[in-house]
Amino acid sequence: MSRIRRPRAISIHFLTLLALLAAAPGIVFAKGGSVGIPENARANSYGSGWECNRGHREVDKACAAIKVPPNAYLNSSGERWECDRGYRKVDEACVAIKVPANGYLGDASYDSGWECDRGYRAVDEACVPIKVPANGYLADASYGSGWECDRGYRAVDEACVAVKVPANGFFVDYSLGSGWKCDRGYRAVAETCVAVKVPTHGYLADTSSGL
């Protein structure tokens, strides 16, 4: 009768060695992945190195918490803060924008952070009424005088003065120049329209210059 061989007992030390070898790669990876990464940071998603978590920024190879002042919030990237609407950045704080009477909140990123209502214009820190002269009207522009003259009038200082169209002339909507032109067959001389003298064997040219 043949003998049945029993497997030899496996040494406890040998099993321990196998367990250590199996765990070793994971241990090395865990250590290698965190080497050099400061607190409040994470490894870059692509490539080597690290980057600070949201709400932190790099200072001297560390990640310092961003101090968000009152009336402010972290921007979408989480790398800096911005002021709430109605506030503007002054040094490291958010200061309330003072909107004058007859004004409203505008874009706080430029100028005063406020704009004047229609019919008013900014003078220093106030919104003052626009004085529209006779024969004028409010303009839609936020710059300049804030008003324009009616057709047939032109701005002279703070008034709208009637354009004097000479005989044989007609009014034109020019913001510059005399505000009128001469009819065909006439040309402007000073404040009048004089007839163009066409010589024998000549004809009127379709031009406003020359004879």
Side-chain angles (χ1 to χ4, degrees):
M1 183 182 292
S2 60
R3 293 181 179 180
I4 299 175
R5 295 183 180 180
R6 295 180 179 178
R8 295 180 181 178
I10 300 175
S11 172
I12 296 176
H13 295 290
F14 180 70
L15 292 173
T16 304
L17 178 60
L18 288 176
L20 289 173
L21 289 174
I27 295 172
V28 172
F29 177 78
K31 288 183 178 180
S34 60
V35 170
I37 298 180
E39 189 177 359
N40 298 311
R42 61 185 182 278
N44 282 329
S45 302
Y46 302 96
S48 59
W50 52 269
E51 58 186 355
C52 293
N53 294 334
R54 176 177 171 80
H56 296 78
R57 59 186 168 191
E58 184 178 349
V59 178
D60 297 330
K61 297 183 179 180
C63 289
I66 297 174
K67 296 180 180 178
V68 181
N71 304 306
Y73 61 93
L74 279 174
N75 67 349
S76 57
S77 67
E79 298 176 351
R80 66 177 186 274
W81 55 266
E82 297 178 5
C83 292
D84 295 336
R85 176 170 172 78
Y87 294 82
R88 63 184 311 173
K89 185 176 181 181
V90 178
D91 297 328
E92 294 301 315
C94 287
V95 179
I97 296 173
K98 297 180 180 179
V99 181
N102 302 305
Y104 60 93
L105 277 174
D107 189 346
S109 63
Y110 65 93
D111 297 332
S112 62
W114 52 266
E115 297 180 25
C116 292
D117 295 335
R118 176 173 170 79
Y120 295 81
R121 61 179 171 181
V123 176
D124 297 328
E125 297 299 316
C127 288
V128 299
I130 295 174
K131 296 179 180 179
V132 181
N135 303 305
Y137 61 92
L138 278 174
D140 291 329
S142 59
Y143 53 87
S145 63
W147 54 267
E148 295 181 8
C149 292
D150 296 333
R151 177 177 173 81
Y153 294 82
R154 61 187 304 177
V156 177
D157 297 328
E158 297 299 316
C160 287
V161 179
V163 176
K164 295 179 180 179
V165 180
N168 303 306
F170 60 94
F171 178 81
V172 291
D173 289 327
Y174 285 172
S175 58
L176 299 176
S178 62
W180 53 267
K181 282 187 176 182
C182 292
D183 296 334
R184 175 174 170 78
Y186 294 83
R187 61 174 178 166
V189 176
E191 297 298 319
T192 62
C193 288
V194 297
V196 176
K197 295 180 180 180
V198 180
T200 306
H201 308 300
Y203 63 92
L204 281 172
D206 292 327
T207 177
S208 58
S209 58
L211 300 177

